[in-house]
Amino acid sequence: MELFLYTALFAPLVGSMFAALYSGSPKNIIAGIIPSILLGVSLISSTILLVLVLTTGHTLHVEMMTWMATGDLYIPFGFVVDQISVTMMMVVTLVSTVVHVYAIGYMSHDKAFNRFFAWLSAFVFSMLILVMSDNFAGLFIGWEGVGLCSWGLIGFWYHKESATWAANEAFIMNRIADLGMLIGIFLVFWNTGTLQYDGAFAAMQNLDTDTLTWIGIFLFVGAMGKSAQFPLHTWLADAMEGPTPVSALIHAATMVTAGVYLVVRSNELYALIPNVGLFIASLGAFVAIFAATMALVNRDIKRVIAYSTLSQLGYMFAAAGLGAYWVALFHLMAHAFFKALLFLGGGNVMHAMSDELDPFKMGGLGKAMKGTMILMTLASVALAGIFPLAGFFSKDLILEVAFVDHHFIIYSVLLVTAGLTAFYSFRIIALIFHGEDRHTALGFHPHEAYKFMLWAMAPLAVLAVIAGFLFKGTYFEMITQLLPATEYHVHSAVTYWIMTIGTQAFVIAAIYFAYKKYMSKDIKVPDGTSKMENSFAYKLLINQYYIPYFYEEYLVKPYRELSTVCWEKVDQKIVDASVDGIAKVFYTTGVKTRTMQNGNLSTMLKWMVAGTVALLSLAVVFGLAARYSGEIRLFLSGLGV
C-alpha cells in the first residue's frame, strides 16, 4: 500500500514539473492534459487508500527518510494515512482533478496557460504534504508551500497591479499568522521533546494547563491566518483577483480549510483546554455572521462567494471549538463540493460576460446558460442547507451541536446566519439568471461554457446532493475511530422537529424574499443615488465595516511613514554614511600612500628611512616601558588610576 501513498502524494509534483518544462514556451494543451491525468491518478490512489481504511480500520504510516537528526531533535519525512488525512486527501484530489480539467477550457486563451498548470499542480502537492505529514514540521512545510503557490496563483496576472497587490496582501498576512504558528510548534517541541503527532499529543497529557493554553493559542493564530478568520480575514476577498479555478481550488476546498484541519488534527490538545475551544467557537460564530452580512450587498459575484466561504469556515470552527471535530470535518468535506461548484459556475458566467462580475448588469442569463444555471442553483440550494442536499445535514448538525451543548447564543447567531446565507446566495442567482435581460443593452452577448467544462463540474453536483447521506453510516463509523464519537441529538423529538422544520421554513422564506426583491422588473444597475445606497448600514457593509480602511490608515500608512523616516534619517545618514565614510578613509589613505610604489628611488628611500625611524621609536618606547614598568604602576596608583 506504500506505493499508493507515494503515488497519491507525488503524482501532482510530477505534473507540476512537466508543465514547468513548457512554462517558457507558447501555450501547449499537453501542459494541461498531463497534469490533469496525473491528478486523476492521485485521486484513484487516494480512493484505494480510503477503501483500505474503511474496510480494515487500519492506518498506513511510512517513514520515507530522515530529514533532521541532531541531538534530541529527530524529524523524518514521515506520512500517515488515517481516518482524518484520507478524508482530506479525497477532498483535495477530487476537487483538484475537477478544477484541472475545467481549467483546460477556462484558461485555453491565456498566454501563460503552461505556467498556470505548473503552479496549480505544485499547490496540490503542497496541500497533500500538509495533510499527509505525521509531524508538525512536515505540516509546516506543506503550510508554507501552499502559501507560496497561492501567492503565485493569486498574482498570476501580474501585469495587473490589483492582482500583485492582492497576492502580496495574502502572502504577508499569512506570514504574520505563521509566526504565531511557528512559536506554537517551538513550544510543542520544547515541552514534549518531539514533533511527531502521536508522541507530542501523548506527552501533552502531562503538561500543565497554562502551557497547553499557550500552545493552543499560538497554533490557532496560524489557523486564523490560513482560514482568514477575523481580524486576519481581509485577504480572502481580495484574493479573488486570481483566475476563477484558483478560487475554486484554494478558496473553497483546500488552503482555507487548512486551519480547520489543524484544529481537528490537534483535537487531543484542544480537548484539554476547553476555554480555548470556546473562544474558537465564539470567534467562528462571529465570523459566520460577520462575513454573511458583507455578502448581502456586495456587487461582485466572486466576492459574494468568497464571503460565503469565510462564513462557512466560521461554522466549521464553531463545531471544532465545541469539540464536535468529526462534524467540523464533515462540513468541510460537504462544503468543498458545493462551494467549488459555485466558483466554477461563476467562472462560466464571467467568461460569458467578458469578465463582468456585477450581477446587476446581467439578468435573464438562464436562457443562454441553462446548464450553468442548473449547476449553480443546485450548489446554492446545498449552501442554503435545504433538505436533502449535503448542506442540510452538515449545517444542521452544527446547529444541533450548539443547541445540545447549551451554547444558545452561538446557536442563535448561526441560525440567523443560515437565513442570511440563503438570502445572498439566491440574490445572485436571481440577479444573474432570472428577471429581465439587462445585459444586451450593455453590449454583452453571453454563451454557455464548453460542454466538457460542464461535465467536469458534474461530479461536484452529484456530491453536493448525496454527500449528506454519507455521515449516517460508514463515514461516521470510520471517522470516529480516531475522533471523539459523540453523537448530537436533541433529547425531545418534538423539539428536534420544531427546530428542523423551523430552520427550513426560515431558510425558504429568505430564498423567497430574495427572489421577490431581485426578480422585479424595476431592478436597475445601482448608481449610488438610491435611498438604500445612501444609508449608513449599506455604506458600512459595502466598505467591509471600514476594517480595510482602518488597516490602511492606522497600520499601513504609519508603518510606511516610519519606514521612510528610518530609510532617510537612519539608513542613509547614519548606516550608509558610516559605511561610505570608512570606505572613503581607506580610499584616501590609498591615494596618499600609493606614491611609495611609483618607482622613484628617492621617494622609496624616504619611506624606508621614515619606516626605520618609526620602528626604532616604537622599540625605544616599549623598552623604556618594560624597564620602568614598576615605577610607572606606582606613579599611576598614586594618581588613583
Side-chain angles (χ1 to χ4, degrees), residues 293-333:
T293 55
M294 291 188 288
L296 291 174
V297 299
N298 202 276
R299 289 175 51 188
D300 183 312
I301 297 172
K302 288 179 67 177
R303 282 179 175 264
V304 170
I305 303 174
Y307 286 132
S308 172
T309 298
L310 185 55
S311 181
Q312 296 307 305
L313 287 167
Y315 272 91
M316 297 173 207
F317 277 115
L322 295 176
Y325 303 104
W326 74 268
V327 177
L329 195 62
F330 176 63
H331 190 53
L332 184 157
M333 177 181 66

Side-chain angles (χ1 to χ4, degrees), residues 39 63 72 86 100 147 160 177-178 256 266 343 384 452 467 480 484 520 558 590:
L39 253 298
E63 185 175 316
D72 295 331
V86 79
H100 271 69
K160 294 167 56 179
D178 291 353
V256 295
S266 304
F343 268 118
F452 81 87
T480 52
S520 169

Side-chain angles (χ1 to χ4, degrees), residues 112-195:
F113 179 90
N114 307 342
R115 176 167 59 89
F116 177 80
F117 281 92
W119 275 116
L120 200 64
S121 290
F123 173 87
V124 179
F125 170 68
S126 298
M127 190 67 197
L128 288 172
I129 288 283
L130 190 158
V131 301
M132 294 175 67
S133 290
D134 68 349
N135 61 81
F136 283 103
L139 178 144
F140 191 72
I141 293 173
W143 196 274
E144 296 305 300
V146 294
L148 173 63
C149 294
S150 68
W151 173 81
L153 288 165
I154 295 168
F156 182 76
W157 290 315
Y158 55 82
H159 55 277
K160 294 167 56 179
E161 184 178 352
S162 58
T164 56
W165 189 92
N168 290 335
E169 180 193 20
F171 189 82
I172 293 169
M173 193 165 285
N174 274 276
R175 298 295 75 71
I176 294 170
D178 291 353
L179 175 61
M181 181 180 176
L182 199 57
I183 294 172
I185 292 175
F186 286 155
L187 288 174
V188 169
F189 180 75
W190 184 267
N191 289 280
T192 67
T194 181
L195 291 178

